[in-house]
Amino acid sequence: MAYFTIFASRNYNHDLDELIQEVFRDKFKITGSAEGTRQVEIQPKGWFSRNKITIRVADEETDPAYFENNVPGMMGFYQAIPFEDDDLQYRVMVQISVINTMLAIETEKDIRQEDLQLFVQLAGKVGGICFLPDGTLLDLDGRAIVTPDGKSGPAEFSPRACTKKVRGEDRSTPEGLARKQRSLAAIKEKGIPILETLPELPPLEELRVKSRDEIARRAVALLIVIQYACDIAQDGDLRESKEFVLEMLDKFGVADELTAAERDLLEQPEPASQDAINITWQYEAYWALLWALGLLDELGHPDETCDCDFAINVVASCESFGEFLAKTTLRRPEEILDEADKLYRLHWACVNERIKGQPAPAGMNESIVLERRRALFWMLSYRDEAWDDISMDT
């Protein structure tokens, strides 16, 4: 017997039979049901291939005892491994803590390379990580996350948590349901996949929409620090760039609005290129702030990057923060929440296609969607999360 286990964090599992069929149906006979009997038998169709595969399925709803008994042990196992990367160990521990689905795969004979490829393909479809008997963890693309001796693999791993694990059980309100249905209808019209079970956002009365002044200050501070990030990414004169940025922050009186990540970028003796690139992408978050401040007619479909010249000039043409603020008119809170709900669902569509190895639907750019979502959720004070810590669960 040989073993291969997939662990995942999922809102629902009623699609597991379909996903198993997608992976195995061409060359295998499949019996049983992941949703019904909780066990699937997969038998090769060829006469000379007799390596039967059995997949046993468990989740927190149907077998809570399994997770109560096994997740702590799994966490203890990886806590004891001497990771060479402490941050990677933290990410692995976070992932294990939100596991709520297990697919235990057993084969009668040794696992061949072609079998391994199919198992990894299934892991990709369910959005899981792969556990090998020796303790190696593989990401959903088959690349190693960590080996038993603590060495980091080539996988670019980030934990994936379903909303059920992050937020607890979903609840519905008439306002939230109506908003969700409007978003789904608009998304369907563009031919973009939807997930009916993706939860509602809270009603407006449970959120605190930030003031026009707060949003305007965040926008100006962000725009200024983005200029420094762009200079880093383009190998510009950082001494001159930093002097200019500090001068602009002082001129507009927004130095106190910088986030921890932005301050860190300004204080790094040799700024990290990736940190700078991450902040340059926040031009798209800034664009959403401008939209909320009434400086754009519409936010538009997230398939093209924002107009950077306009984005700069809308502030650069002002001599003070007060002059910039006077240009703005905050949109109604309902509009901001409507847009946040739609971006939340578009983000799911992007992630869903990425997991399948496909490009984002309808020409969307996932980074644009993500950054616009950051700004919209921040303006709503969603979960009271700071700008740098906005959750991107789908």
Side-chain angles (χ1 to χ4, degrees):
M1 295 289 184
Y3 304 92
F4 184 101
T5 309
I6 299 171
F7 292 103
S9 180
R10 313 188 84 226
N11 279 321
Y12 64 91
N13 284 320
H14 58 70
D15 62 342
L16 285 180
D17 282 318
E18 178 184 348
L19 297 179
I20 291 171
Q21 288 282 345
E22 288 177 6
V23 174
F24 294 100
R25 64 186 165 204
D26 288 345
K27 298 181 180 179
F28 297 84
K29 178 182 177 181
I30 302 171
T31 57
S33 169
E35 190 171 5
T37 62
R38 316 301 293 177
Q39 181 168 310
V40 179
E41 303 286 346
I42 301 173
Q43 182 70 52
K45 294 178 180 178
W47 285 4
F48 302 105
S49 298
R50 291 289 179 245
N51 191 16
K52 187 176 78 170
I53 300 167
T54 301
I55 303 178
R56 294 181 175 85
V57 178
D59 58 45
E60 278 189 329
E61 291 186 4
T62 60
D63 192 359
Y66 172 86
F67 294 89
E68 291 171 4
N69 295 331
N70 288 279
V71 168
M74 192 174 180
M75 293 188 74
F77 177 81
Y78 286 100
Q79 184 69 53
I81 288 178
F83 278 66
E84 62 182 10
D85 182 343
D86 290 340
D87 180 65
L88 178 60
Q89 184 176 38
Y90 172 76
R91 282 179 275 144
V92 167
M93 299 299 284
V94 169
Q95 181 65 77
I96 295 171
S97 73
V98 296
I99 286 171
N100 66 358
T101 300
M102 181 274 295
L103 285 76
I105 302 175
E106 178 183 302
T107 64
E108 289 185 335
K109 300 178 182 179
D110 290 341
I111 296 175
R112 303 166 299 172
Q113 184 61 34
E114 53 263 45
D115 297 326
L116 182 62
Q117 291 174 352
L118 290 171
F119 299 163
V120 168
Q121 186 180 346
L122 180 59
K125 288 184 178 293
V126 303
I129 58 172
C130 313
F131 176 81
L132 304 186
D134 68 355
T136 297
L137 283 182
L138 308 180
D139 205 357
L140 47 70
D141 59 3
R143 293 189 294 173
I145 299 171
V146 66
T147 56
D149 57 2
K151 291 183 178 179
S152 303
E156 299 175 359
F157 172 69
S158 294
R160 294 174 290 274
C162 66
T163 53
K164 184 182 292 185
K165 295 295 289 186
V166 174
R167 286 201 297 255
E169 291 299 321
D170 303 325
R171 72 182 182 87
S172 180
T173 65
E175 178 191 326
L177 179 60
R179 179 171 289 108
K180 172 181 173 178
Q181 294 303 327
R182 290 196 300 272
S183 295
L184 292 178
I187 293 169
K188 281 181 182 178
E189 284 186 2
K190 295 182 179 293
I192 298 172
I194 61 170
L195 180 63
E196 294 277 2
T197 56
L198 199 64
E200 302 165 16
L201 294 187
L204 195 56
E205 65 179 12
E206 296 180 14
L207 300 167
R208 184 188 75 81
V209 179
K210 289 183 168 59
S211 68
R212 180 168 66 107
D213 184 81
E214 288 176 289
I215 296 170
R217 288 184 179 279
R218 174 88 283 264
V220 174
L222 179 58
L223 174 67
I224 294 171
V225 81
I226 285 173
Q227 307 316 303
Y228 183 60
C230 288
D231 285 338
I232 295 170
Q234 297 167 8
D235 295 321
D237 184 334
L238 297 191
R239 181 177 178 181
E240 181 180 336
S241 178
K242 183 181 288 188
E243 288 177 356
F244 171 77
V245 164
L246 294 176
E247 179 184 334
M248 289 299 101
L249 290 170
D250 182 63
K251 174 182 176 179
F252 285 91
V254 293
D256 291 343
E257 309 304 323
L258 295 178
T259 70
E262 293 160 2
R263 290 183 187 282
D264 182 62
L265 186 72
L266 286 170
E267 292 170 1
Q268 289 178 25
E270 296 183 9
S273 177
Q274 189 58 54
D275 291 345
I277 291 170
N278 292 343
I279 288 181
T280 59
W281 266 111
Q282 291 189 24
Y283 251 128
E284 300 302 330
Y286 168 72
W287 196 247
L289 297 176
L290 293 186
W291 170 81
L293 290 168
L295 296 169
L296 303 175
D297 291 336
E298 60 180 8
L299 198 50
H301 188 63
D303 57 347
E304 293 185 2
T305 54
C306 67
D307 182 342
C308 292
D309 288 338
F310 176 86
I312 293 171
N313 289 334
V314 73
V315 173
S317 61
C318 301
E319 290 300 319
S320 67
F321 174 77
E323 184 178 345
F324 172 72
L325 184 64
K327 290 182 177 182
T328 67
T329 303
L330 188 62
R331 290 182 181 273
R332 293 183 301 108
E334 291 82 1
E335 289 183 82
I336 297 173
L337 182 50
D338 284 350
E339 195 68 27
D341 189 272
K342 184 171 69 175
L343 263 294
Y344 170 47
R345 300 178 198 288
L346 291 177
H347 193 193
W348 174 86
C350 292
V351 172
N352 185 57
E353 295 305 307
R354 172 161 51 80
I355 289 173
K356 297 177 182 178
Q358 300 296 320
M364 290 190 293
N365 183 315
E366 185 178 344
S367 294
I368 296 176
V369 174
L370 183 149
E371 292 301 340
R372 290 185 182 179
R373 177 181 171 183
R374 179 196 306 279
L376 290 161
F377 276 45
W378 176 82
M379 287 186 280
L380 294 167
S381 304
Y382 184 65
R383 300 183 193 161
D384 290 321
E385 292 174 332
W387 181 272
D388 293 334
D389 302 322
I390 301 297
S391 301
M392 292 296 166
D393 53 277
T394 56

